[in-house]
Amino acid sequence: MEENEAPVTLIKGGRVVDPAASFDATADLLIVDGVIREVGRVDPPAGCRVIDADGLTVAPGLVDMHVHFREPGFEYKETIAGGSQAAAAGGVTSVAAMPNTAPANDDPSVTGYMLQKARAAGLVNLYPIGAITKGLKGKELAEMGLQQQAGCVAFSDDGYVVMDSGVMRRAMEYSRAFGALIIQHAEDSGLSCGGCMNEGVHSSRLGLPGIPVESEEVIVDRDIRLAELTGGRYHVAHISAAGAVAAVAAARKKGLQVSCEAAPHHFTLTDEAVVGYDANYKMSPPLRSGIDRNAILEGLARGDITAIATDHAPHERDSKQVEFCRAANGVVGLETLLPLSLDLVREGVLGLMETLACLTCNPAQLLGIDGGTLGVGARADVVVFDPDEAWVVDPRRLHGTARNTCFAGIKVRGRVKKSLLAGRIVHSDGR
Ligand SMILES: [Zn+2]
């Protein structure tokens, strides 16, 4: 691992794009002791390792504010080490990990355990998200203050919704003291009850019980009112419904501290994909209609959706190889995040700078974490990628242990060549 220990690295001649500084130019990046020392024209110092980035794009390591690493409790689905490998392969250097582990991350001891496992793997900066309520049960608030001291950067019951309006109100009020983001999995459990895909023409045709868009929209509407009442910082996880995008846009226009993230599967696919009953297209919220997909694209283009996050949700084979309605929700996404996001650039939805902002500095800012920038003095978390290289998503070649992608066999464009974490190469495309 001698190469990994080189203290001085020069990434030479790439197109350096740093949205945090609105910087986009051909430049060299000098890394000393894991920190960015210089950006510009740099002659390689003696003994320095040089990474030739000619024809490649150099950007801040991606920040994915929504992943599920299944440890503790579900190591048979994925471990923190395995999830870290997938992150490194996807150019993701920072992840925020949801608390639906077993036990749930509602306690500093669990937070500490996750941090320690991530440090041992050494492939990604892991930022735990603490539970809003004890045991994710939606009844009693978790000890947010202690959780934050232990390292939690935001709070969510993701996987579950905080249904009780009073509990949600108190969570927003309480979180104000810490300036922490409250992230809601917006789903009215009464409305989505028993559903396993989007409610619409396709669910009727397939004979599968549907989840209406209203399931998401009524919770987002309610929560925005609570954000206005409390002054809390409110964030909608994996937004999927046109009406919810519109509600967030209106709230932002009013000046409320409301934000949301979109997942690549929601802006790439629609519920038509479920036609073969393949459980790899089953996720929560479900793939929606073309109207909803367009609303997400427009929300990104207008800047109402400021973050792209994977909702990376690894599962073991057995929980997906059952009939559609009984299958587990969720898909992996870390390794397809960048190429699918680059489709936004190719389709003219966003510029490269704006797209990378949704993947780097914007989520970093929402979480209040370091990272997402190539500024001098910043930790050298860097991704070097070929924006045009085409490859076919082969589940067998994904990193980590889970294989449940909804993009199997799809040709994508954009390939990670190198991922650097604090100046160390943690992934190199050598296949
Ligand atoms: Zn999730």
Side-chain angles (χ1 to χ4, degrees):
M1 297 303 276
E2 203 183 321
E3 187 196 4
N4 267 357
E5 284 157 16
V8 180
T9 302
L10 186 68
I11 304 177
K12 192 139 187 67
R15 176 181 176 187
V16 176
V17 183
D18 182 12
S22 301
F23 183 92
D24 182 356
T26 300
D28 311 324
L29 206 72
L30 181 67
I31 299 166
V32 180
D33 294 333
V35 170
I36 293 167
R37 176 66 63 83
E38 217 178 316
V39 184
R41 276 199 52 88
V42 184
D43 290 323
C48 136
R49 169 177 66 190
V50 177
I51 296 172
D52 179 10
D54 186 28
L56 303 177
T57 303
V58 180
L62 309 186
V63 178
D64 186 349
M65 67 183 294
H66 189 150
V67 305
H68 299 269
F69 284 181
R70 303 299 196 182
E71 203 174 352
F74 304 101
E75 289 81 358
Y76 57 94
K77 292 182 184 289
E78 188 64 280
T79 57
I80 286 176
S84 300
Q85 280 171 15
V92 176
T93 53
S94 294
V95 298
M98 286 296 178
N100 59 338
T101 47
N105 183 19
D106 61 2
D107 185 273
S109 64
V110 182
T111 308
Y113 178 84
M114 291 167 76
L115 287 170
Q116 179 232 318
K117 285 282 173 182
R119 260 196 307 271
L123 297 172
V124 69
N125 305 302
L126 183 139
Y127 296 95
I129 294 177
I132 294 174
T133 64
K134 288 185 181 163
L136 309 172
K137 292 197 184 326
K139 303 279 185 239
E140 199 184 338
L141 289 185
E143 293 280 2
M144 287 185 201
L146 295 176
Q147 290 264 90
Q148 196 186 44
Q149 278 170 28
C152 288
V153 296
F155 296 90
S156 181
D157 276 2
D158 185 56
Y160 305 96
V161 62
V162 181
M163 265 313 286
D164 186 307
S165 308
V167 172
M168 191 62 177
R169 174 190 181 168
R170 284 196 296 282
M172 285 195 203
E173 278 170 350
Y174 194 40
S175 69
R176 278 191 64 189
F178 321 110
L181 203 60
I182 294 289
I183 303 174
Q184 176 76 291
H185 174 114
E187 176 181 16
D188 185 306
S189 41
L191 281 173
S192 61
C193 174
C196 58
M197 69 171 292
N198 182 48
E199 182 176 299
V201 284
H202 295 291
S203 64
S204 304
R205 196 171 299 155
L206 294 167
L208 293 173
I211 300 169
V213 285
E214 286 78 4
S215 167
E216 178 170 303
E217 291 164 353
V218 296
I219 296 294
V220 171
D221 285 344
R222 179 202 73 176
D223 287 349
I224 286 171
R225 287 177 185 273
L226 295 178
E228 188 162 21
L229 173 69
T230 62
R233 293 177 63 217
Y234 172 69
H235 180 87
V236 185
H238 39 49
I239 203 158
S240 74
V245 176
V248 168
R252 291 172 70 84
K253 207 166 177 186
K254 260 176 140 176
L256 302 180
Q257 300 193 76
V258 170
S259 57
C260 65
E261 74 204 18
H265 48 261
H266 287 129
F267 64 69
T268 305
L269 299 171
T270 67
D271 55 354
E272 219 182 325
V274 181
V275 69
Y277 297 97
D278 180 347
N280 284 319
Y281 296 99
K282 188 180 178 201
M283 59 280 279
S284 173
L287 296 172
R288 298 289 192 185
S289 71
I291 291 169
D292 298 300
R293 175 180 176 251
N294 286 337
I296 292 170
L297 293 172
E298 283 162 21
L300 284 160
R302 282 195 314 261
D304 292 322
I305 301 172
T306 54
I308 297 172
T310 60
D311 192 11
H312 180 82
H315 285 295
E316 83 289 9
R317 259 176 59 175
D318 285 358
S319 66
K320 283 293 194 182
Q321 287 193 336
V322 290
E323 61 182 286
F324 194 88
C325 264
R326 287 178 49 227
N329 278 311
V331 290
V332 296
L334 283 162
E335 290 173 74
T336 44
L337 170 65
L338 181 65
L340 295 171
S341 298
L342 291 173
D343 280 343
L344 298 171
V345 183
R346 290 185 276 262
E347 287 162 14
V349 176
L350 289 175
L352 180 61
M353 181 82 81
E354 291 75 28
T355 301
L356 287 173
C358 289
L359 292 165
T360 59
C361 55
N362 292 353
Q365 195 181 17
L366 283 166
L367 297 173
I369 60 172
D370 281 341
T373 173
L374 298 175
V376 171
R379 185 175 61 216
D381 297 344
V382 186
V383 58
V384 181
F385 63 93
D386 182 335
D388 295 315
E389 187 178 325
W391 56 285
V392 174
V393 180
D394 177 353
R396 290 167 306 180
R397 301 189 88 173
L398 294 175
H399 293 71
T401 52
R403 299 284 170 265
N404 54 308
T405 172
C406 58
F407 296 103
I410 305 281
K411 189 174 175 182
V412 294
R413 282 171 67 202
R415 188 155 185 102
V416 173
K417 293 294 171 185
K418 293 255 189 299
S419 300
L420 284 81
L421 185 74
R424 279 187 306 121
I425 295 176
V426 290
H427 175 80
S428 202
D429 178 33
R431 290 181 298 183

